Amino acid sequence: MGKPTGFMEYQRLSEAYAPVDKRLKNYKEFVVRLNDEQAAIQGARCMDCGVPFCNNGCPVNNIIPDWNDLVYRGHWREAIEVLHSTNNFPEFTGRICPAPCEAACTLNINTDAVGIKSIEHAIIDKAWDEGWVVPQPADEKTGRKVAVVGSGPAGLAVAQQLARAGHDVTVFEKNDRVGGLLRYGIPDFKLEKWLIDRRVEQMQAEGVRFRTGVLVGAKDMPAGIVNDAREVISAEQLQQDFDAVVLAGGAEVPRDLPVPGRELGGVHFALEFLIPQNKQVTGDTPNPISAKGKHVVVIGGGDTGSDCVGTSNRHGAASVTQFELMPMPPAQENKPLTWPYWPTKLRTSSSHDEGCERDFAVATKEFIGKNGKVKALKACRLEWKDGRMSEVPGSEFEIKADLVLFAMGFTNPVGGVLEAFGVDKDARGNARASTDGDGCYTTSVPKVFAAGDIRRGQSLVVWAIREGRQCARAVDEFLMGGSLLPR
C-alpha cells in the first residue's frame, strides 16, 4: 500500500487555499487541489498497516489503500474505477466531507493521517479532465418504474444506481433546480454548482428523469423551508404510477430558539440567508437578507454556522461572532482514547480564518430591538458539569447584533411528506425503516422505501450516499427478486 517506508519519508501536505483577501471578493471555490506529483507522494504515505481502519471509518467503505497505491504508481485510470466502485459522487465528498476516514487512519495514532480527502479530490478532478467519467446506461431495461422523492445526495445515489440496473427512474424535487442541500444549503465557495449540473447531465444520459418544482404530498411548508414548487403530486398518485417509491428528502426543519425578541426583524434561520445567496450567485434575484456593514451573530458552531460566517464575510459584515452552547473542545484530541473514532476537538474552518470571533459555553437569553429590528443580543455564560449545564451567576452580557442567524441543526423531515404516505415515524419524527436483515430501507407502507436524512436524521453527505446506494440494492431486490448492485 503506497511505499512501504513512505510514511517515514514524507510529510503530510494539505491542499492550499487562495489568500483571504482574494477569495472574499467572490463565491468561487478557493481550494487548490494537489498536482499529480504531490498526490503521488501523499499516496506513498499510506502504510501497509494490515487492518485498514480507514475503510470502516468511511461510511461508503471506500477502498482507500488501493487507490492510494494506484495514485502513487501513476495508475490514475484504475484509481477512479476503484473510487467509483464505492462512491457515486467523489467530487462532492472530496470537497465537503469532513473525512472521518482520516480520523480512522492508522497513522493518525501518533502522527499526521494520510491526506485521503485531498487524494480523492485529485483523482476525481483528473478523471473528469481526462474524459474518463462517462454515462453508464443499462444494457437492458427491466420495465420497472421507480419514483425518487428528493434530489439531494441520497436521492441522486438511489437514482443513479437504479438506472444503471435498468429501471426507469424519475426524481421529484420541490425546488427549481436539482441537488437538494448540495445545491442550496452549501455555499458555492465550498461546492460550485456546475459540479452538480455535470453529474445531472451524466445521469440524464443514463436514463434518469428529473422533475423540478414538484412538491410531493404536502402543500404547506413550515417556517425556514424554501419551496419553489409549481405543482403538487399526491402520495397516492406516485404509488399508483410507480412500482416503487423512495423517500430521500432531507431533514430540513431547522431548530428554533424561542426566547424574548424572537419576532424581531433581522432574526433568521440560517437557510433563509444561505439559500437566497446561492440563488443570487446562480443569477436569480438578489438575496433579501444582507450582512453588509452589520454586526452578525451566528448561533451554532457546526458546518452550517461556518457557512453563515463565510457568507457574511463575503457580504462585508462589520463583525461576525459565533456562539456555541457547548464548552470549547480541546485543541488536540486524546488519540489513545478516541482513535479510530471521530474525535471531539476544536476545528477551525476556512471561514473562521476569514474573520470571526468564537465564544463557547454561551446561551442566548433575549434579543433586544429598536423599531422592530434586532439591535443587540443578551446572553450568559454556562457552566457544564456531569453533562449538565447551568447559568453562571452574574455572567450576563450584551453584544451588538444587527443580524442573527440560527445554525443549530435540523430536527426532522419537512412536515406532511411522511404523513401523506402514512409512513410510521420514529421518536425523532423520521421515517422508520431498518437497515438490517431482509427488507432493509422498507417503511411500514408497501413498496415505499426511505433513505438518507429523512430516515436517519441530519447527517453527512457521505452517509446520504451510502444509504442511497444500499437502498437502491434493496429496491432492486424488491423489484427483481435479486440484485447485482453492491451492498
Side-chain angles (χ1 to χ4, degrees):
M1 305 303 172
K3 186 178 182 181
T5 57
F7 70 96
M8 296 186 291
E9 298 176 28
Y10 306 120
Q11 300 297 312
R12 177 183 170 113
L13 175 65
S14 298
E15 294 174 313
Y17 292 167
V20 170
D21 60 336
K22 291 185 178 179
R23 69 188 196 230
L24 284 181
K25 296 176 181 178
N26 57 67
Y27 290 84
K28 297 290 186 182
E29 289 184 15
F30 52 82
V31 175
V32 182
R33 88 175 196 226
L34 302 181
N35 62 36
D36 290 7
E37 181 180 358
Q38 292 169 332
I41 291 174
Q42 293 308 297
R45 296 188 68 241
C46 187
M47 63 190 297
D48 189 6
C49 58
V51 178
F53 288 89
C54 56
N55 285 16
N56 287 332
C58 171
V60 293
N61 302 122
N62 275 330
I63 312 170
I64 294 163
D66 290 38
W67 43 259
N68 281 342
D69 181 63
L70 290 166
V71 168
Y72 164 60
R73 300 181 188 283
H75 302 316
W76 290 85
R77 184 72 178 262
E78 292 87 346
I80 186 57
E81 291 173 359
V82 173
L83 178 51
H84 265 151
S85 71
T86 56
N87 185 353
N88 295 67
F89 314 119
E91 65 268 44
F92 303 157
T93 53
R95 286 169 165 81
I96 61 175
C97 179
C101 55
E102 295 187 14
C105 174
T106 302
L107 272 182
N108 194 46
I109 295 174
N110 62 352
T111 186
D112 293 330
V114 174
I116 299 168
K117 179 178 174 181
S118 63
I119 300 172
E120 178 182 27
H121 185 185
I123 293 171
I124 183 58
D125 279 15
K126 183 176 180 66
W128 279 108
D129 291 345
E130 296 292 333
W132 297 334
V133 184
V134 296
Q136 300 176 38
D139 293 331
E140 296 181 6
K141 303 293 284 187
T142 66
R144 304 294 198 275
K145 297 167 60 180
V146 182
V148 178
V149 181
S151 70
L156 292 177
V158 169
Q160 185 165 63
Q161 292 295 95
L162 289 175
R164 291 177 176 178
H167 304 302
D168 292 321
V169 182
T170 302
V171 178
F172 295 89
E173 168 59 51
K174 72 179 186 301
N175 289 316
D176 59 350
R177 295 180 178 89
V178 172
L181 289 181
L182 288 173
R183 170 78 64 179
Y184 287 135
I186 298 172
D188 285 66
F189 56 79
K190 289 173 65 175
L191 179 71
E192 292 184 21
K193 306 317 173 195
W194 62 268
L195 295 162
I196 304 171
D197 297 333
R198 184 173 61 182
R199 275 294 179 184
V200 169
E201 290 176 5
Q202 181 201 32
M203 292 174 64
Q204 288 173 325
E206 294 171 346
V208 179
R209 294 181 62 219
F210 292 94
R211 294 186 57 185
T212 57
V214 178
L215 186 63
V216 174
K219 296 181 180 180
D220 299 323
M221 292 288 106
I225 303 296
V226 174
N227 172 27
D228 298 322
R230 305 177 301 275
E231 178 184 355
V232 177
I233 293 181
S234 69
E236 293 78 12
Q237 190 68 50
L238 286 191
Q239 290 168 294
Q240 176 182 323
D241 294 346
F242 293 88
D243 299 300
V245 177
V246 179
L247 306 181
E252 295 182 68
V253 178
R255 188 171 282 111
D256 206 346
L257 185 60
V259 298
R262 169 64 181 88
E263 74 287 350
L264 290 169
V267 180
H268 301 277
F269 292 114
L271 290 187
E272 292 178 322
F273 176 59
L274 295 176
I275 292 177
Q277 185 59 48
N278 283 8
K279 291 189 172 189
Q280 177 180 327
V281 172
T282 301
D284 292 354
T285 56
N287 189 346
I289 302 173
S290 174
K292 183 175 177 139
K294 294 180 179 178
H295 298 284
V296 180
V297 177
V298 179
I299 301 177
D303 288 340
T304 304
S306 176
D307 295 343
C308 290
V309 170
T311 303
S312 296
N313 282 326
R314 281 161 178 75
H315 276 209
S319 68
V320 182
T321 304
Q322 187 175 24
F323 286 155
E324 170 58 58
L325 194 69
M326 301 298 292
M328 184 175 179
Q332 181 64 54
E333 74 270 33
N334 184 341
K335 290 186 177 183
L337 181 65
T338 61
W339 181 89
Y341 301 108
W342 184 249
T344 297
K345 68 175 183 178
L346 182 66
R347 291 179 169 83
T348 299
S349 72
S350 58
S351 293
H352 293 139
D353 288 336
E354 293 164 1
C356 175
E357 293 293 328
R358 288 193 282 176
D359 206 346
F360 295 85
V362 172
T364 302
K365 300 190 70 173
E366 182 182 357
F367 300 116
I368 301 169
K370 182 178 181 181
N371 299 324
K373 295 184 179 181
V374 67
K375 290 299 178 185
L377 181 153
K378 180 184 291 186
C380 68
R381 306 216 169 265
L382 299 173
E383 180 181 29
W384 286 86
K385 188 175 182 181
D386 298 327
R388 296 188 177 185
M389 65 179 185
S390 59
E391 181 178 341
V392 176
S395 66
E396 285 191 3
F397 66 96
E398 289 187 12
I399 181 174
K400 289 182 179 180
D402 306 305
L403 176 62
V404 178
L405 301 170
F406 293 166
M408 301 173 292
F410 303 87
T411 59
N412 54 274
V414 172
V417 177
L418 300 183
E419 290 83 354
F421 283 91
V423 169
D424 287 349
K425 295 185 282 187
D426 63 18
R428 297 179 299 163
N430 301 317
R432 186 185 300 279
S434 173
T435 59
D436 300 323
D438 295 334
C440 59
Y441 294 97
T442 57
T443 69
S444 58
V445 178
K447 75 178 189 180
V448 177
F449 297 74
D453 288 5
I454 202 169
R455 190 202 70 82
R456 67 178 288 117
Q458 176 190 352
S459 191
L460 304 176
V461 60
V462 69
W463 272 109
I465 294 171
R466 171 198 173 103
E467 295 221 344
R469 288 172 60 88
Q470 292 185 335
C471 182
R473 178 183 172 89
V475 173
D476 193 32
E477 288 178 334
F478 167 74
L479 295 174
M480 307 302 293
S483 179
L484 295 178
L485 291 173
R487 295 185 183 277

